[in-house]
Each structure stands twice: as structure tokens, then as C-alpha cells.
Amino acid sequence: MRRQEARGKTQEAGGAGTPRLTGGHTLVELVASMAVMTIVLGGMGSAILVASRGVDPRSPVARQVEAGQVVEQMAGELSGLVGCAQRSGTMVQFTVPDRNGDATAETIRYVWSGTAGDPLTRQYNGGTAVNVAEGVQEFALSYGLLVETQQVPGPSTESGEMLLLRHDDTGGSLSEHRVQLSRHVAEVFRPLLPGDATAWSITRVKFKAKLDGSALGQTQVQIRTADASHLPSSTVLQGFSMWEWN
């Protein structure tokens, strides 16, 4: 029997040489490994099939997950409500703070018909109702109400007339002022009001006047605001015409 040998040498840096021989797999080993891989792949296929059945939207587990998500969504929205317009065991309509920047509260409405198998719907700002849970068998809402008493201010009351300004002749001589188109007579005043007053109005004004000539003149009597110099401004709050003969 002839003796066979395989020789070789390693390759070192900077030198050339022949590659070193390495061992291989026999046919029996390849066949065995293929059989093992077939078993592994079959097991993975079974696991994928079971997992796909586990996420079936019609399965009890999927329905429980869906119900939990809906309850969590409702609880989150109800936690920020600012008002509840309607409520019952199967319906609730409430408002939450502004979400879209239009300075108006948003309205949310959840409704279930009460019939087993019907969906639970959600309506946002009066839009189209959208199903948030299919095939609902039971749905019941209960409420814990907190009663608060608030003091609401009543209607305002109007007092009787009070004197705002008065000038009397103290015995001296009166001087005359002719009212003309470019010459006016005016008085500025600031009333002293009670501390709880919210508004005030002028009910009447009394002054002395006399005829000048033919008595055909017409005078404008006006209430105006005052400017920084305490002179009548161009803003007329109210006014009326007074004929000289009257």
C-alpha cells in the first residue's frame, strides 16, 4: 500500500507560498444537516402560524386589547373636560379645551346603541361618527357628580339722581358770553362715584340762557370727552339742538 502524504508550508509576511489545506464535510454530514434544517424551518413555520392566529382581530385576546385601548382613550379625554352637556349609561357628550387654535372648546361624543353586537362610536365636533370598537357586547357608564355652589352676581341696580357738578351765583355780577359758530362755552368735571359703581350717566343738565336779537338762532348742546388740557375733544357722546326762541 502506497503511503500518501500532503505537505505544505505557511505563508509568512513578505514571502510567497502555497495555501494550507483544510478539512471538508462528508456527504453523510451534509445529508444530516439538511434534515436538521428541515425540522427547524418546519418549527418556525408553525410558530408563525400560531402568532398570526393570536393577532386575529376576531379573537377574544384582540378584542380585549381593543377594548383596553378605547377605555384608555376615553379616560384621557374625559380627564381634561371643561363641561358635560349630555350623559347616560350608554352615551356621553362633553367638551375639552381648544385643540386647533380657534379659541373654541372641542365637543366629543361617545355613543353605544345598547344592542349587543353594535359598535361604539365617537363623534368629534359634530362630524361623522366613527366606530372605535366593533361588536360591543356590554358598555355601561357611571358618574360621580360633585356639587359646587358659586356666587353669581345679580343684576345691577340704578340709583337715584345725584349731583355731579354745580355752580351757583354767590351774589356777584353775572357776565355774558355770546355763543357763536366759532365760540363755545363749556365746563369740564370728573364725578365722585361710589366704590361699587360700574357705570354712570348724565340724566339732565340745567343752565341759564337768554335771547339775543331775533331769537332765530340754534345752539348745539353736547356732551364731549375732555382732552389732556381739559378742553372739549372732537368726540361727541350725545347732543341735541336748542332753538333760541324755546
Side-chain angles (χ1 to χ4, degrees):
M1 180 175 62
R2 180 179 298 179
R3 181 180 180 181
Q4 296 181 350
E5 293 181 355
R7 296 177 179 272
K9 61 181 179 180
T10 60
Q11 183 176 352
E12 297 177 354
T18 58
R20 184 171 53 185
L21 297 179
T22 58
H25 296 287
T26 63
L27 182 60
V28 175
E29 291 174 337
L30 291 176
V31 172
S33 63
M34 291 178 63
V36 173
M37 289 299 298
T38 302
I39 296 174
V40 173
L41 292 175
M44 292 178 61
S46 300
I48 294 174
L49 179 61
V50 172
S52 63
R53 290 178 178 176
V55 297
D56 184 357
R58 295 169 296 178
S59 68
V61 175
R63 291 183 180 275
Q64 291 179 2
V65 173
E66 180 186 30
Q69 293 174 345
V70 173
V71 170
E72 183 178 1
Q73 177 182 350
M74 290 184 62
E77 292 177 334
L78 285 167
S79 64
L81 67 85
V82 295
C84 185
Q86 301 178 22
R87 65 179 187 273
S88 69
T90 57
M91 180 273 298
V92 61
Q93 178 176 321
F94 55 95
T95 54
V96 296
D98 176 32
R99 295 181 175 180
N100 54 15
D102 62 354
T104 303
E106 318 299 339
T107 301
I108 301 176
R109 180 183 179 93
Y110 285 94
V111 179
W112 182 54
S113 67
T115 302
D118 284 354
L120 174 66
T121 63
R122 177 181 182 270
Q123 190 178 26
Y124 188 77
N125 282 342
T128 304
V130 178
N131 296 346
V132 293
E134 302 285 350
V136 177
Q137 300 299 316
E138 295 181 5
F139 180 79
L141 295 171
S142 60
Y143 308 88
L145 303 181
L146 176 64
V147 179
E148 294 184 350
T149 303
Q150 296 181 348
Q151 295 292 334
V152 179
S156 60
T157 58
E158 188 174 79
S159 68
E161 284 187 332
M162 56 185 295
L163 186 62
L164 301 177
L165 177 71
R166 181 174 182 174
H167 286 305
D168 287 329
D169 179 20
T170 58
S173 60
L174 297 177
S175 59
E176 295 185 356
H177 297 276
R178 295 189 64 187
V179 179
Q180 299 175 352
L181 185 62
S182 59
R183 185 179 183 185
H184 314 287
V185 177
E187 178 68 40
V188 62
F189 66 95
R190 184 186 299 275
L192 298 177
L193 303 176
D196 58 348
T198 58
W200 65 279
S201 62
I202 297 176
T203 53
R204 55 180 172 165
V205 176
K206 182 180 179 180
F207 60 92
K208 292 182 179 181
K210 70 176 184 178
L211 299 177
D212 183 18
S214 61
L216 296 179
Q218 184 183 26
T219 300
Q220 294 291 329
V221 180
Q222 299 174 337
I223 302 296
R224 298 192 180 196
T225 59
D227 59 18
S229 301
H230 294 170
L231 297 176
S233 70
S234 60
T235 302
V236 179
L237 301 179
Q238 193 172 1
F240 63 96
S241 298
M242 183 185 70
W243 288 97
E244 187 175 3
W245 52 264
N246 193 21

